[in-house]
Amino acid sequence: MRGSRALATITAFALAAAALFTLEADTHAMARKPAAKPGAAAAKASVRDVTGVEAALLTVLDDVGAADLGAALDRVDRVIAANPNFRLAHLIKGDLLLARSRPITGLGNLADAPVEPLADLRDEARARVARRLASVPPGGVPSALVKLAPTQHHALVVDTSHSTLYVFENRDGVPTRVADYYITIGRNGVEKAREGDKRTPLGVYHVTSSLPRKALGDFYGAGAYPISYPNEWDRRQGRGGHGIWLHGTPSDTYSRPPRASDGCVVLTNDDLQALARRLQIGTTPVVITDRVEWVAPEVVSARRGELEAALEAWRRDWESLDTERYLRHYAADFRSDGMTLAEWGAQKRAVAAGKTHVKVRLEDTSVFQYPGAQPMALVTFVQDYRSNNLDHVMRKRLYWAHLDGRWQIMQEGAVTLPSAQPRRRR
């Protein structure tokens, strides 16, 4: 094991990275413990590969563990030449140079080094090592990605506990991991609740717009992509704040510590520019969770089947004009635009009284399991509603919870499509 080898090496060079490789050994052991049973096809976890700058930096630590100071210095010099503002690389180089004259016992061995910046760099080093060792079951997919809509070419999954943003490509309905990036989240962690709490929200969102570099200050780097926090569910829970973005870093900073933002998800400028090529404004989903649950595809398929069946029953019962049967799909504490279930039911009964027929067609459906302890899902679709006195096309969001052994609607919200307004028949 790489961590054991580093700990067994008794040179001053190996001691320079002892703290990091102790973490690596511990993390490697944790990676072998299954957090969940994803099924036979995905039971064996593998250490993930890293590429680019991060891979080069971690190879420097491998060289340190092998007591190859020359190779480590040569490699870290190349990293710095390509990324002059990569402060962690500079710190590691300083330790390697210091190791020529005296033994060192950890990362950052200058006695007069500023405490907080040094702690931030150590945290970044630990996060990057942990990212390399994060277990991803072969063939496994995040449980959150139940179903991608045909128009959603990619989906983003942010794992805050592993400082990682995963990118999945929609390949004929199958989410396939194509990239991942080191990220920074809120200084105070996750579960945003109010303005200014410096926390990153957990939930299911989408990219709402693009803010180019020239429209922003240097602090945001290569640009910014706001997401849809707070959504309907956040507002129902009383969560406040706004302005949660995916954005880059200042021109004098390659990367930031794992916890350093005001709540946004921050990438290096290079990574943000690579990610930007895959973003669809108004469409790309962003799932933010405190820990990705990797499961086998058949687990996701079963959950998809459950929710598609619940959605189809809801649609069919709406068309039936049997309002009482339709209302059975809604939970007792349902809310929509401030209405309770009783108020919603009264409105639906009044509307149904004027109908001779209703046809509802659902298209472009996506389904995401919502982060949190309670089984919950966000189902989004384009709804084409036709009746004897009203035609209407809108995008709708239903928040479903698994209560009393079945899926029930907790929240309903709609966004009118710009090109499709209601057409009332005279």
Side-chain angles (χ1 to χ4, degrees):
M1 184 191 301
R2 189 183 301 110
S4 299
R5 185 180 71 245
L7 290 172
T9 305
I10 58 174
T11 66
F13 316 135
L15 287 173
L20 288 179
F21 281 96
T22 298
L23 169 71
E24 183 166 344
D26 292 343
T27 311
H28 208 306
M30 291 173 62
R32 293 196 304 269
K33 297 178 182 178
K37 294 183 178 180
K44 185 178 179 181
S46 63
V47 174
R48 57 176 292 280
D49 294 328
V50 292
T51 58
V53 174
E54 186 171 58
L57 187 69
L58 293 175
T59 304
V60 171
L61 299 182
D62 288 339
D63 293 335
V64 172
D68 192 343
L69 178 62
L73 277 170
D74 180 65
R75 204 180 302 273
V76 79
D77 278 339
R78 293 201 300 271
V79 171
I80 292 170
N83 305 277
N85 296 318
F86 196 176
R87 294 169 187 167
L88 178 57
H90 283 283
L91 180 67
I92 292 173
K93 180 179 179 179
D95 277 346
L96 292 172
L97 293 173
L98 188 62
R100 287 174 164 176
S101 60
R102 64 178 175 84
I104 56 179
T105 58
L107 187 64
N109 273 256
L110 294 176
D112 58 349
V115 174
E116 186 173 343
L118 181 58
D120 284 344
L121 291 173
R122 286 171 173 164
D123 287 344
E124 181 178 347
R126 292 188 187 98
R128 289 183 181 277
V129 170
R131 265 174 44 76
R132 172 164 62 174
L133 294 166
S135 59
V136 178
V141 295
S143 61
L145 302 184
V146 179
K147 180 180 181 179
L148 297 179
T151 55
Q152 292 172 328
H153 300 161
H154 294 87
L156 312 184
V157 178
V158 175
D159 185 338
T160 61
S161 67
H162 287 100
S163 303
T164 298
L165 183 153
Y166 293 99
V167 183
F168 291 84
E169 184 178 338
N170 184 357
R171 296 180 180 173
D172 297 323
V174 178
T176 304
R177 183 165 58 99
V178 293
D180 62 76
Y181 304 107
Y182 167 83
I183 57 160
T184 295
I185 63 165
R187 185 179 304 277
N188 293 327
V190 295
E191 298 190 84
K192 185 170 185 62
R194 64 183 186 278
E195 182 79 20
D197 62 7
K198 299 184 185 301
R199 292 179 179 272
T200 298
L202 301 179
V204 180
Y205 307 102
H206 62 272
V207 176
T208 61
S209 60
S210 171
L211 303 175
R213 180 195 294 265
K214 62 183 180 181
L216 301 167
D218 181 62
F219 181 78
Y220 298 100
Y225 297 87
I227 65 173
S228 57
Y229 175 88
N231 61 25
E232 300 95 338
W233 189 251
D234 292 315
R235 290 192 289 271
R236 174 169 171 169
Q237 304 306 308
R239 298 172 188 144
H242 66 284
I244 301 300
W245 299 353
L246 310 175
H247 68 77
T249 57
S251 57
D252 65 350
T253 303
Y254 176 73
S255 60
R256 296 174 65 184
R259 291 190 176 190
S261 80
D262 288 341
C264 294
V265 175
V266 182
L267 298 86
T268 70
N269 290 322
D270 289 344
D271 290 346
L272 183 71
Q273 289 171 329
L275 177 65
R277 294 191 287 270
R278 293 183 163 114
L279 299 182
Q280 297 167 273
I281 305 305
T283 300
T284 301
V286 182
V287 179
I288 308 179
T289 179
D290 60 347
R291 189 174 296 274
V292 172
E293 179 190 22
W294 297 96
V295 298
E298 53 265 31
V299 175
V300 172
S301 179
R303 177 56 52 88
R304 180 168 60 248
E306 291 176 17
L307 284 158
E308 286 180 334
L311 182 65
E312 171 58 19
W314 169 81
R315 186 202 64 80
R316 189 173 57 246
D317 289 344
W318 190 3
E319 284 189 342
S320 75
L321 294 178
D322 184 337
T323 306
E324 302 313 311
R325 194 168 71 190
Y326 164 78
L327 290 173
R328 284 200 294 267
H329 295 282
Y330 292 84
D333 57 349
F334 166 82
R335 295 290 186 277
S336 180
D337 295 327
M339 286 190 290
T340 64
L341 179 60
E343 293 165 334
W344 178 264
Q347 182 193 68
K348 291 300 179 181
R349 291 183 187 96
V351 170
K355 303 294 182 183
T356 59
H357 70 273
V358 167
K359 289 293 181 183
V360 181
R361 187 174 66 198
L362 309 182
E363 298 177 332
D364 203 40
T365 302
S366 65
V367 183
F368 298 96
Q369 183 167 301
Y370 215 85
Q374 180 186 30
M376 198 169 88
L378 171 58
V379 180
T380 306
F381 48 86
V382 174
Q383 173 185 291
D384 188 346
Y385 174 94
R386 309 277 171 168
S387 72
N388 56 295
N389 56 11
L390 179 68
D391 295 348
H392 198 189
V393 178
M394 66 170 65
R395 186 173 296 278
K396 182 170 282 188
R397 289 187 287 268
L398 301 180
Y399 293 81
W400 297 74
H402 199 261
L403 304 168
D404 301 323
R406 63 189 181 92
W407 289 98
Q408 301 178 50
I409 301 169
M410 297 281 289
Q411 183 89 19
E412 183 166 328
V415 178
T416 301
L417 300 175
S419 61
Q421 299 298 325
R423 298 190 301 279
R424 190 171 297 277
R425 293 180 179 171
R426 302 293 183 182

